[in-house]
Amino acid sequence: FTDVNLNSRNTYEVSRRRSAPEHLPHGGTAPAEPAPPPQEPAERARHRVGIAGAGSSFAEFFTRNFFTKRTKELKPSVQSAPGWKLFGKVPPRENLPKDSKIIQQEYEARTGRMYKPPPPSARRKNIEFEPLSTTALILEDRPANLPAKSVEEALRHRQEYDEMVAEAKKREIKEAHKRKKIMRERFKQEENIASAVVIWVNEILPNWEGMRATRRVRELWWQGLPPSVRGKVWSLAVGNELNITPELYEIFLSRAKERWKSFSETSSENDIEDAGASVADREASLELIKLDISRTFPSLYIFQKGGPYHDLLHSVLGAYTCYRPDVGYVQGMSFIAAVLILNLEEADAFIAFANLLNKPCQLAFFRVDHSMMLKYFAAFEVFFEENLPKLFLHFKSYSLTPDIYLIDWIFTLYSKSLPLDLACRVWDVFCRDGEEFLFRTGLGILRLYEDILLQMDFIHIAQFLTKLPEDITSEKLFSCIAAIQMQNSNKKWAQVFASLMKDNKEGDKNHSPAPKS
């Protein structure tokens, strides 16, 4: 260990001396070094070091290195060319990037083709604008470390760019014309609505009973009611045969609130039975309202919880459930009540809602009267075969019956299947013509998409009619509805339906048991 200690010490001295400057600057003085101790005999020095270093040499042995430390010569870092790597940073390149001329020479030597640079006019030296998309990048020159474009390639890129710009201009011009056309139609429609409002307010509504059946009013009605008078005309057209008053609405609304409170607190069967309704039906019906309201016109975000019309819709449906416990709440009612709430005040909406659901067709569907529903389906098929015989046979080949698509349309009065503004226009004429127009509208939808439906099978037809396209317009639909003739063998809708009802009664008599003697 002593030899090792001495050798390492000598190595340290040598490295220290090497690191000292050989020449001092002029006028400088070297720092004074302590005088070396007098030389001792080699044997005594060796003996002293062996004794004195016995305790410290072990620590120095483990802390010192056996070999001299070589200072690493730091190479100047070379700035690497910009690049991309999937993980981590790009490692610096030791070789400098090649000049474009060198790369070009190497490319010519490898391919044996001489490169002729394009004329200065062909290049985009001065760019007046930054390219807004990748379309203009085709005109940019390649990076310096890649071969430059040839004249043919530059001209081809310029031609492709000009074609893309021309096509974009055509699309822009076409869209601009389309927007102008839409704006013109909108202005024309607003002018017609403004003039129609004056006629409805000043002439028709004050003389409702005498003018409602005139040809002029019916034609004006077909064009759609102005939104400002729509609710008033609906109320007058539906009527109030049930003689419901706003005070009666408040009575049934308070009763509904009591039932909701009793459900949340006690849910006592005796209390519900005392109310005069079935426990299961009433409770399930009222609870279903909360669930169904959130699914009513979800895109409007006004009937969902926290929306401005949520409580109002909840109140109208709850009051009706208590007013007609024999009907209760049925899915689909929320859409009808929501459309009325958007056009009428709360009490007026309830009055129109109750009288509308009291019509024979709506009452048959909402009370799920199967025999009456089958009569309506049979009458619909009579006019279906009369107006669309080819599509009728196509549906028959797949055994596709009207109940598959008509039930949803009738239950919601098309307010769920059609856009809201188009559904309101359907409601306008429905209030004028009654239940006949509901089935005529269904035939108009089938006529509008007849060519598409003829190419579909059972599953795709059912899916298509359940969710109609959103781009359907009122002009196209009402032109198809106008083409539907609700007349079969000189019989209108009411006569066809009455004959079906008569045949059904006669059939019931024939199948009734004979009286006992």
Side-chain angles (χ1 to χ4, degrees):
F1 289 108
T2 304
D3 294 337
V4 171
N5 191 13
L6 289 174
N7 290 335
S8 61
R9 182 178 179 183
N10 292 335
T11 344
Y12 172 75
E13 292 294 336
V14 171
S15 63
R16 185 179 64 80
R17 288 173 184 174
R18 286 180 179 175
S19 63
E22 294 180 358
H23 302 283
L24 293 174
H26 297 286
T29 58
E33 295 183 0
Q39 294 291 332
E40 294 181 341
E43 294 181 1
R44 288 185 60 187
R46 193 178 293 113
H47 178 69
R48 183 177 60 80
V49 171
I51 297 174
S56 61
S57 61
F58 291 101
E60 292 176 356
F61 169 73
F62 288 108
T63 57
R64 291 179 180 178
N65 295 327
F66 289 106
F67 306 98
T68 58
K69 296 182 179 179
R70 295 182 180 178
T71 58
K72 298 181 179 179
E73 296 179 3
L74 298 176
K75 298 181 181 180
S77 60
V78 180
Q79 183 66 24
S80 61
W84 183 87
K85 191 179 180 182
L86 184 58
F87 300 104
K89 298 180 179 179
V90 177
R93 297 180 181 177
E94 296 183 359
N95 299 328
L96 292 173
K98 296 180 181 181
D99 190 10
S100 60
K101 294 183 179 180
I102 299 174
I103 296 174
Q104 180 179 333
Q105 293 173 0
E106 293 178 356
Y107 173 75
E108 292 174 355
R110 186 171 62 253
T111 59
R113 291 183 297 179
M114 294 300 293
Y115 167 71
K116 295 180 180 180
S121 60
R123 296 193 179 190
R124 298 173 73 235
K125 292 282 186 180
N126 299 324
I127 302 178
E128 298 179 356
F129 61 91
E130 291 291 333
L132 299 179
S133 66
T134 58
T135 304
L137 294 179
I138 194 173
L139 297 180
E140 299 293 332
D141 294 332
R142 291 196 182 98
N145 58 346
L146 295 177
K149 294 181 181 180
S150 63
V151 179
E152 295 79 6
E153 188 178 8
L155 292 176
R156 187 177 72 253
H157 287 176
R158 164 61 67 177
Q159 183 179 1
E160 292 176 358
Y161 175 75
D162 293 339
E163 291 176 357
M164 287 186 286
V165 171
E167 189 66 26
K169 287 182 178 179
K170 288 181 181 178
R171 288 197 302 268
E172 184 67 25
I173 294 173
K174 186 177 180 180
E175 292 176 359
H177 286 314
K178 186 177 180 180
R179 287 193 297 268
K180 288 182 180 179
K181 183 179 179 182
I182 293 174
M183 292 301 296
R184 285 196 301 267
E185 292 177 354
R186 185 175 298 176
F187 289 148
K188 184 179 180 181
Q189 185 180 6
E190 290 177 356
E191 291 176 357
N192 294 336
I193 290 175
S195 59
V197 168
V198 176
I199 298 174
W200 279 99
V201 172
N202 297 332
E203 299 180 23
I204 300 175
L205 291 179
N207 305 296
W208 173 253
E209 294 298 334
M211 295 189 64
R212 62 176 299 179
T214 60
R215 183 176 181 179
R216 180 193 176 194
V217 172
R218 292 182 63 85
E219 290 179 353
L220 196 63
W221 210 331
W222 175 267
Q223 297 174 6
L225 297 173
S228 58
V229 300
R230 175 169 280 155
K232 181 66 174 177
V233 175
W234 285 0
S235 296
L236 292 173
V238 173
N240 188 11
E241 295 179 355
L242 300 175
N243 296 321
I244 301 175
T245 60
E247 292 77 15
L248 187 64
Y249 165 68
E250 294 295 335
I251 293 173
F252 286 106
L253 177 59
S254 61
R255 184 177 300 178
K257 291 180 178 179
E258 292 177 0
R259 292 292 162 263
W260 282 321
K261 185 177 180 180
S262 65
F263 292 153
S264 59
E265 292 179 355
T266 60
S267 298
S268 173
E269 293 187 1
N270 294 330
D271 294 341
I272 301 173
E273 287 176 352
D274 293 341
S278 171
V279 177
D281 294 343
R282 175 66 65 82
E283 185 172 359
S285 182
L286 287 174
E287 289 299 318
L288 186 60
I289 294 175
K290 298 179 181 179
L291 178 64
D292 216 21
I293 286 178
S294 61
R295 298 179 291 196
T296 304
F297 296 117
S299 59
L300 299 180
Y301 300 104
I302 57 176
F303 295 106
Q304 285 65 38
K305 192 170 185 180
Y309 293 107
H310 173 270
D311 295 339
L312 189 59
L313 180 58
H314 195 262
S315 299
V316 171
L317 294 174
Y320 180 80
T321 304
C322 293
Y323 173 69
R324 292 296 300 265
D326 57 325
V327 179
Y329 176 78
V330 181
Q331 283 185 327
M333 288 182 177
S334 61
F335 283 89
I336 299 177
V339 174
L340 292 172
I341 288 172
L342 291 174
N343 292 276
L344 292 166
E345 296 295 330
E346 182 177 355
D348 295 332
F350 174 79
I351 295 172
F353 181 72
N355 282 276
L356 186 61
L357 297 192
N358 198 51
K359 302 294 181 181
C361 180
Q362 278 64 48
L363 198 60
F365 275 82
F366 283 112
R367 295 183 71 172
V368 196
D369 189 342
H370 292 285
S371 60
M372 286 292 294
M373 292 171 67
L374 290 176
K375 302 299 178 299
Y376 281 107
F377 293 150
F380 174 81
E381 286 191 312
V382 169
F383 294 95
F384 187 4
E385 185 178 10
E386 181 74 20
N387 288 273
L388 305 168
K390 192 174 180 180
L391 187 61
F392 177 78
L393 293 177
H394 183 66
F395 278 26
K396 281 291 184 181
S397 64
Y398 287 108
S399 301
L400 200 148
T401 53
D403 58 290
I404 295 176
Y405 51 92
L406 270 184
I407 286 180
D408 190 50
W409 294 351
I410 301 300
F411 266 99
T412 61
L413 299 182
Y414 297 95
S415 57
K416 182 182 177 181
S417 305
L418 297 177
L420 183 58
D421 57 341
L422 181 53
C424 288
R425 188 172 172 186
V426 171
W427 278 46
D428 293 342
V429 188
F430 163 65
C431 292
R432 186 195 76 172
D433 297 345
E435 63 185 34
E436 173 185 338
F437 188 74
L438 294 178
F439 298 95
R440 189 180 181 186
T441 301
L443 293 174
I445 294 173
L446 296 179
R447 182 185 180 88
L448 179 61
Y449 297 108
E450 181 179 10
D451 296 336
I452 300 175
L453 295 172
L454 286 172
Q455 301 174 4
M456 294 182 178
D457 56 5
F458 180 91
I459 298 297
H460 291 89
I461 292 174
Q463 292 176 349
F464 183 87
L465 296 178
T466 301
K467 185 174 178 57
L468 296 173
E470 296 180 358
D471 59 349
I472 183 173
T473 60
S474 59
E475 290 77 12
K476 292 182 180 180
L477 178 59
F478 271 78
S479 64
C480 292
I481 294 174
I484 299 296
Q485 300 296 324
M486 299 299 288
Q487 191 169 352
N488 176 262
S489 300
N490 296 327
K491 290 184 179 180
K492 295 183 179 180
W493 169 267
Q495 295 172 331
V496 171
F497 186 77
S499 63
L500 290 172
M501 292 292 295
K502 183 179 179 181
D503 295 340
N504 183 59
K505 290 180 180 179
E506 292 178 355
D508 292 340
K509 290 181 179 179
N510 294 332
H511 289 86
S512 60
K516 295 181 180 179
S517 56

